[in-house]
Amino acid sequence: MSSPPSQGAAPGPMPPPLSQPSHEVTPLYGQEFADDPHAVYARLRRYGAVAPVELAPGVGALLVIDYRAALDLLHDTETWSKDSRSWQDTVPSDSPILPMLEWRPNVLWNDGETHERYRQVITDGFSRFEPSEMRDHVMEIADTLISRFGATGEADLISQYARSVPLMLLNRLFGLPDSYADQLYTAVAGMLDGKTPEEANEANAAFTGYVTELVTAKLQQRGPDLTSWFLDHPVGLSTEEVVHQIVLTMAAGLEPATNLIGNALARMLSDDRYYSTLSGGGLTPRDAIHDVLHNEPPMSNYSAHFPRRDIYFHGTWIRAGQLVMVSYAAANTQRGRTAPGQTGGAKGSGGGAHLAWAAGPHTCPVPHHAALLAMTAIERLTAWLSDIELTVGHDQLVYRHGPFHRALAQLPARFTPISPHQAGATPWDSSPQQAPSSSTRSGETSPEKQPVSASVGPRSS
């Protein structure tokens, strides 16, 4: 027997029987989806608010692509559960997407009091870092990275910058030196990309092992870091629970932050409105980040949920335990989107609201930290390298394959080289408080790369 329609179900006549005909499923992987996901979302809209998709060969799901339906799902904890254990028993154990969707004892895959207990540990831990302290860390890391490629006149802003800033920051916050950053990235990227079951599962094991070693070390000697604070939090997490909160927090802090920085830089460097002169203002990194969160969220499809019973949801029958995900990208752009270089703000639903941080009880616990990280990293790069530009057109950029993220494979750029021997402050001799403060196009600065004074700093923390 089926239950009555859930909150948000379409009004009108009685729903069709549960044994409705199966639909063709659309893959959210491969070259076509990586090249133009919005064309895929546009085709999916013929199904209505919920569309059948395939996350990997043989692994289907339903994707919520309607903004209102997404909010209904994300706020309805009575109908929807985050517990994936029953579903994952139906998926091959070597599926490449399983590491991203399997149940773990962490804040993402639990409901109710257990979820609240885990979430409190994360929010309390990050609250110990003042915005000014976070900003100083990011500026110091950014200067270190820029000094490595600043004299060359060219860089891949993904591998040499956007990826490395959150890597090094996360290692610092959890109590590890910068030298461990590459090891962390290899594991997380392998889980997300999941080209083969072997690679995905090896990456999953490597990532968990990485964090387990960290926690083991901190059990012996505490420090002023998130790992130690997680271990000592009054809610009393077990060692296993601490490991899994850190695994989640690192993964959630790395890939989305990398993509947010990279996608925002791609927009800025494709649009002259982001550059200012002495006589006129321009758009800022804050505007680029806002545009990305609306139009190409760093994690485009996630928020996996499972109905507790058979339901009729916004025009679609969904069986109990079936995997349903939210497309933040499709929901945000339901009423149109703003491409790089286009005028006008984002046109998504909600009067400027977006779902890039999700919504409801499982919304991102530290969105302000994530935005501050991205904004500071972009400010620092465009301040030191004031005439930086892409070496290819925006429409020639290549994105990594995968159903979950919107992630650039590379972001090749060029700029006038800066040198440790030139006049004025450079990343080689600056402190976090010493920095140029604006971005200008080539020809608007002196040969020594002294930037003009229009600020691109954040308006608030």
Side-chain angles (χ1 to χ4, degrees), residues 3 34 63 74 117 188 272 456 458:
S3 300
L63 189 68
L74 293 169
R117 176 169 167 262
V188 175
D272 286 336
V456 296

Side-chain angles (χ1 to χ4, degrees), residues 426-443:
T426 71
W428 286 271
D429 59 17
S430 67
S431 68
Q433 288 71 38
Q434 296 175 316
S437 59
S438 76
S439 301
T440 56
R441 278 298 190 195
S442 180

Side-chain angles (χ1 to χ4, degrees), residues 33-42 45 267 273 290-297 328-349 394-395 399 406:
F33 184 70
D35 287 346
D36 192 355
H38 285 283
V40 176
Y41 300 142
R45 295 196 192 283
R267 280 185 169 256
R273 294 177 302 151
H290 178 81
D291 277 351
V292 166
L293 292 173
H294 272 270
N295 295 287
E296 45 183 354
Y328 315 128
N332 286 352
T333 58
Q334 182 176 358
R335 298 181 183 175
R337 63 191 178 98
T338 305
Q342 288 184 343
T343 58
K347 302 175 184 177
S349 300
H394 193 279
D395 59 353
Y399 290 83
R406 183 61 172 161

Side-chain angles (χ1 to χ4, degrees), residues 386-405:
S386 57
D387 65 352
I388 191 167
E389 61 183 6
L390 298 183
T391 61
V392 300
H394 193 279
D395 59 353
Q396 295 176 288
L397 294 172
V398 177
Y399 290 83
R400 286 161 46 201
H401 292 196
F404 306 111
H405 52 222

Side-chain angles (χ1 to χ4, degrees), residues 18-371:
L18 192 59
S19 57
Q20 61 188 13
S22 61
H23 293 288
E24 173 191 357
V25 295
T26 300
L28 298 189
Y29 55 89
Q31 193 66 49
E32 180 188 12
F33 184 70
D35 287 346
D36 192 355
H38 285 283
V40 176
Y41 300 142
R43 293 202 307 270
L44 290 175
R45 295 196 192 283
R46 71 184 188 272
Y47 293 107
V50 183
V53 297
E54 192 174 56
L55 305 179
V59 181
L62 291 174
L63 189 68
V64 178
I65 57 177
D66 175 86
Y67 191 92
R68 183 71 254 171
L71 287 178
D72 287 345
L73 182 153
L74 293 169
H75 285 281
D76 183 2
T77 58
E78 294 298 319
T79 302
W80 300 93
S81 172
K82 294 289 291 179
D83 191 330
S84 65
R85 282 174 286 192
S86 295
W87 168 83
Q88 72 189 47
D89 288 342
T90 69
V91 179
S93 60
D94 62 351
S95 172
I97 65 160
L98 197 54
M100 287 292 294
L101 296 170
E102 67 181 345
W103 182 89
R104 304 170 193 254
N106 66 27
V107 67
L108 184 61
W109 299 111
N110 285 271
D111 303 306
E113 293 182 1
T114 301
H115 164 260
E116 293 173 5
R117 176 169 167 262
Y118 291 155
R119 187 180 176 92
Q120 185 180 352
V121 172
I122 295 172
T123 55
D124 288 353
F126 275 89
S127 70
R128 290 177 175 243
F129 294 105
E130 294 293 333
S132 59
E133 183 180 1
M134 287 279 294
R135 185 171 170 81
D136 284 349
H137 274 303
V138 177
M139 287 193 292
E140 181 183 345
I141 290 167
D143 288 352
T144 297
L145 295 171
I146 295 167
S147 69
R148 293 176 183 174
F149 59 76
T152 67
E154 60 182 13
D156 171 20
L157 298 180
I158 298 300
S159 64
Q160 294 178 265
Y161 193 71
R163 182 180 78 191
S164 298
V165 173
L167 275 172
M168 294 170 69
L169 178 66
L170 284 167
N171 270 339
R172 288 187 181 190
L173 298 184
F174 280 98
L176 283 168
D178 294 347
S179 58
Y180 283 72
D182 287 342
Q183 184 181 347
L184 172 60
Y185 176 77
T186 299
V188 175
M191 289 172 56
L192 277 159
D193 292 336
K195 294 182 175 64
T196 68
E198 292 77 17
E199 288 179 0
N201 287 299
E202 286 175 7
N204 187 22
F207 188 21
T208 303
Y210 178 93
V211 175
T212 300
E213 290 183 13
L214 166 63
V215 172
T216 300
K218 293 299 178 180
L219 283 168
Q220 302 301 317
Q221 184 175 358
R222 301 290 203 273
D225 51 66
L226 286 171
T227 305
S228 299
W229 298 335
F230 282 17
L231 285 166
D232 294 335
H233 195 280
V235 303
L237 297 186
S238 68
T239 301
E240 180 190 17
E241 288 175 321
V242 169
V243 168
H244 283 284
Q245 304 326 304
I246 296 175
V247 165
L248 172 65
T249 307
M250 281 188 167
L254 173 57
E255 181 71 15
T258 298
N259 299 341
L260 182 56
I261 295 169
N263 294 347
L265 281 170
R267 280 185 169 256
M268 290 182 66
L269 301 182
S270 304
D271 188 341
D272 286 336
R273 294 177 302 151
Y274 283 100
Y275 286 83
S276 55
T277 67
L278 287 170
S279 60
L283 298 177
T284 68
R286 179 187 296 275
D287 297 305
I289 289 169
H290 178 81
D291 277 351
V292 166
L293 292 173
H294 272 270
N295 295 287
E296 45 183 354
M299 295 296 287
S300 299
N301 305 297
Y302 208 43
S303 283
H305 284 75
F306 308 87
R308 301 177 190 274
R309 61 182 185 273
D310 295 343
I311 60 169
Y312 187 65
F313 180 75
H314 284 264
T316 298
W317 274 111
I318 305 176
R319 294 185 180 277
Q322 190 169 359
L323 170 60
V324 181
M325 297 203 316
V326 173
S327 177
Y328 315 128
N332 286 352
T333 58
Q334 182 176 358
R335 298 181 183 175
R337 63 191 178 98
T338 305
Q342 288 184 343
T343 58
K347 302 175 184 177
S349 300
H354 63 77
L355 296 176
W357 307 124
H362 284 273
T363 190
C364 174
V366 288
H368 298 299
H369 292 78

